[in-house]
Amino acid sequence: MSQAKRRRVLGIIATDATFERVPHRGAEVWMGKCLHCNAHLTVGLDGEPISRATIEHIVPRSAGGTDALENLGLACARCNQGKGSRHDAHFHRDARVRELVDRLLQKRRDRWRDPGDPDSE
């Protein structure tokens, strides 16, 4: 994974209250939850995923979504791939897809942690 992507992952972790630093197999890691299914995700302190954590664009880029932290979350690869293949292409035509995106955006807002929060370290 590129340095830029690892920095983006760490930015998402800093703003997602489900992530905490915990000991894991003799090292400290970030552990949090998939934005979709709440499965545990494990990421090294350097931003390198240990589990199959992927960057999720909640509003797809194809529908005008950006790389702003408010539009990004971490998701397990299975959930992220499923959303991309089943939903992202239908964003403009399917109200159910827009409802899914709205639910994910709300979940991201509910998990939001100010990056300066001392509990994020």
Side-chain angles (χ1 to χ4, degrees):
M1 177 178 280
S2 74
Q3 184 68 23
K5 271 195 172 174
R6 285 195 301 270
R7 278 194 307 271
R8 187 172 295 148
V9 166
L10 290 172
I12 295 166
I13 288 170
T15 59
D16 185 331
T18 69
F19 280 86
E20 342 178 279
R21 281 174 82 147
V22 298
H24 177 72
R25 298 182 183 171
E28 277 212 7
V29 299
W30 290 106
M31 189 165 291
K33 295 183 179 180
C34 170
L35 186 62
H36 292 269
C37 71
N38 289 326
H40 287 283
L41 299 176
T42 308
V43 177
L45 296 183
D46 65 352
E48 186 71 34
I50 295 170
S51 61
R52 295 193 61 212
T54 61
I55 296 173
E56 163 72 78
H57 285 81
I58 300 168
V59 176
R61 286 183 284 196
S62 61
T66 69
D67 288 338
L69 285 173
E70 296 82 6
N71 189 50
L72 299 176
L74 291 180
C76 62
R78 185 180 57 124
C79 287
N80 197 354
Q81 183 180 21
K83 176 181 172 278
S85 61
R86 287 193 315 270
H87 301 297
D88 289 355
H90 306 286
F91 182 80
H92 294 293
R93 299 188 305 269
D94 190 336
R96 290 173 302 170
V97 173
R98 290 191 302 278
E99 287 173 20
L100 169 67
V101 167
D102 287 344
R103 279 195 310 271
L104 290 173
L105 285 169
Q106 184 60 51
K107 194 171 188 181
R108 179 69 170 118
R109 283 190 292 272
D110 292 345
R111 292 179 170 198
W112 188 264
R113 166 175 58 204
D114 193 17
D117 187 336
D119 292 333
S120 67
E121 296 283 333

